[in-house]
Amino acid sequence: LFCVPRHYENDLEKVIIPHGLIMDRTERLARDIIQDMGGHHIVALCVLKGGYKFFADLLDYIKALNQNSDKSVPLTVDFIRVKSYCNDKSTNNVKVIGGDELSSLSGKVSLLGSDIVETGRTMQTLLSLLSESNPKMVKVVRPRLRRSVVFVFISDIGFEVPDAFLVGYALDYNEYFRDLSHICILNDQAKEKYRV
């Protein structure tokens, strides 16, 4: 019943979070951030590649709220890239690209926008890297959290999701499916079709 690109129609098991629901929850997260952090200068750090869509949508909502509410949040934006997957398995090796410029976070409030928490290894690596820059505070915002994993350092979570391989809304399988608007479960045939 949902619109998906024709080239992915046979690759998806099901849509678990439709795009409209994602946008509604992202707007709520933006409101919570303004409420909690209004008045602080925030360095918003996007974790690429899987976090780019959520990050852009979240910042759009924050900008709109900055213009239309009593509280506002001054923002600067930066990016860092993390890679830890091949096919549908974690490589147990977290590669961080672009972490050499994080010294600008010293003494500032950081908003870390990323994609999904699964094992927590990537987030632990990122938080350790950020702590070396001595930020005043780090707030982690993620659109998705696997049901089987709970961490105390996650500040705001958009959705709790099943322990399945998810694609869409910038989550990929070997760089495919980032252009899918909904969050979906990938079927087994597609895992074979796009395997590297």
Side-chain angles (χ1 to χ4, degrees):
L1 298 176
F2 294 100
C3 295
V4 297
R6 279 181 110 48
H7 52 275
Y8 293 146
E9 282 180 348
N10 298 320
D11 299 329
L12 306 174
E13 188 173 308
K14 64 181 161 182
V15 173
I16 62 165
I17 308 174
H19 186 256
L21 190 56
I22 295 167
M23 298 308 290
D24 187 68
R25 182 62 181 125
T26 304
E27 182 179 9
R28 180 75 250 176
L29 288 171
R31 289 176 184 273
D32 292 345
I33 289 164
I34 293 279
Q35 184 66 38
D36 296 346
M37 304 176 85
H40 291 287
H41 178 166
I42 296 175
V43 177
L45 184 64
C46 176
V47 181
L48 298 172
K49 293 180 182 177
Y52 87 86
K53 185 70 178 128
F54 167 67
F55 187 79
D57 290 339
L58 181 67
L59 291 189
D60 283 346
Y61 281 122
I62 290 173
K63 287 188 296 185
L65 289 168
N66 275 346
Q67 295 171 9
N68 301 308
S69 65
D70 296 337
K71 284 188 173 183
S72 66
V73 177
L75 284 171
T76 54
V77 178
D78 208 344
F79 301 88
I80 190 168
R81 184 168 173 210
V82 177
K83 184 167 176 63
S84 63
Y85 267 79
C86 180
N87 295 319
D88 61 347
K89 302 284 187 244
S90 174
T91 62
N92 293 323
N93 180 21
V94 179
K95 292 182 193 171
V96 179
I97 303 159
D100 51 341
E101 300 295 324
L102 296 179
S103 59
S104 64
L105 301 177
S106 181
K108 295 182 182 164
V109 175
S110 299
L111 177 67
L112 184 61
S114 190
D115 56 2
I116 194 165
V117 172
E118 186 176 21
T119 64
R121 189 176 299 112
T122 301
M123 184 53 63
Q124 289 170 339
T125 300
L126 280 173
L127 289 175
S128 175
L129 187 62
L130 288 174
S131 70
E132 293 172 12
S133 300
N134 297 314
K136 181 177 181 180
M137 178 174 82
V138 176
K139 184 174 182 73
V140 179
V141 184
R142 290 179 162 250
R144 301 163 287 271
L145 177 71
R146 292 260 197 255
R147 242 187 235 148
S148 60
V149 183
V150 178
F151 295 95
V152 294
F153 54 74
I154 305 299
S155 304
D156 290 301
I157 300 164
F159 296 97
E160 196 175 284
V161 295
D163 190 12
F165 197 83
L166 304 178
V167 293
Y169 196 63
L171 286 177
D172 75 302
Y173 180 78
N174 296 327
E175 299 300 325
Y176 291 93
F177 302 97
R178 291 196 197 276
D179 56 333
L180 185 60
S181 297
H182 315 293
I183 297 174
C184 303
I185 296 177
L186 190 64
N187 66 33
D188 290 336
Q189 294 84 3
K191 288 178 188 176
E192 283 304 312
K193 179 180 174 182
Y194 297 102
R195 185 173 298 279
V196 292

